[in-house]
Amino acid sequence: MKKITLALAAVALTVGLTACGPAETGGGSRPKTPMPTGVPTGPEYATADAVMKAMGTGGLECKLLRRAQANFGSGLDCMAEVDGAEVENEIHVLDPARFSRDDIGDSIAGRRQPPYSHTIVAAGNWYVWVRNPDYAPQVAKALQGVVLKPLGESKS
């Protein structure tokens, strides 16, 4: 009987906590960082695979390295050859039915600010972290996006 009581108490506690949603600190959620000005509203892609394919159509074949487990849409890492150099790219596509342009902008801002300070190529509902920022302009041209430089000290 004691085991049943403990099990029921654990279930009740779990249900109660999940019904509350994520814990908030500081009296509410922080405001989102909007999409940076100058980021075009298109093209939009349904999946990270579609972005990778568009890179190829734009002249930068990108070979799949790994897929990301994502609850935001889809993601993957791929390797492209740009001017003879191998350049790794991390592609993120956010589902526009679930996420606003400000949600996407907020996600991009988190990547551009310290401690990350990444160079990002973005447009529509997607962004790419170009791991070697020297090649971001070529990736942007292939995808019809724009280059967003880091907002912090390091340039990665």
Side-chain angles (χ1 to χ4, degrees):
M1 185 69 170
K2 199 175 204 181
K3 287 182 183 179
I4 293 174
T5 304
L6 286 173
L8 289 174
V11 169
L13 180 62
T14 302
V15 170
L17 289 175
T18 56
C20 294
E24 292 186 8
T25 58
S29 62
R30 65 173 179 77
K32 290 185 173 88
T33 303
M35 182 70 84
T37 53
V39 174
T41 57
E44 285 193 349
Y45 296 103
T47 65
D49 287 286
V51 175
M52 186 172 71
K53 182 178 179 183
M55 283 180 73
T57 302
L60 295 179
E61 286 297 323
C62 208
K63 295 178 184 155
L64 179 67
L65 298 175
R66 65 192 77 74
R67 294 189 184 284
Q69 294 286 4
N71 61 0
F72 56 83
S74 70
L76 61 79
D77 295 351
C78 66
M79 184 74 70
E81 187 174 314
V82 184
D83 297 334
E86 289 188 331
V87 179
E88 191 169 338
N89 301 281
E90 186 178 297
I91 300 171
H92 299 271
V93 176
L94 282 78
D95 179 0
R98 293 177 41 215
F99 298 98
S100 71
R101 196 155 160 87
D102 283 352
D103 289 321
I104 300 165
D106 201 50
S107 186
I108 290 170
R111 292 302 196 98
R112 293 175 66 206
Q113 296 169 350
Y116 303 108
S117 302
H118 297 159
T119 297
I120 302 292
V121 170
N125 64 324
W126 55 269
Y127 64 93
V128 178
W129 169 27
V130 181
R131 295 208 181 187
N132 185 333
D134 294 337
Y135 298 101
Q138 291 93 325
V139 173
K141 182 178 178 185
L143 291 172
Q144 301 173 26
V146 296
V147 176
L148 301 170
K149 295 187 178 188
L151 299 172
E153 305 257 334
S154 72
K155 305 239 189 236
S156 62

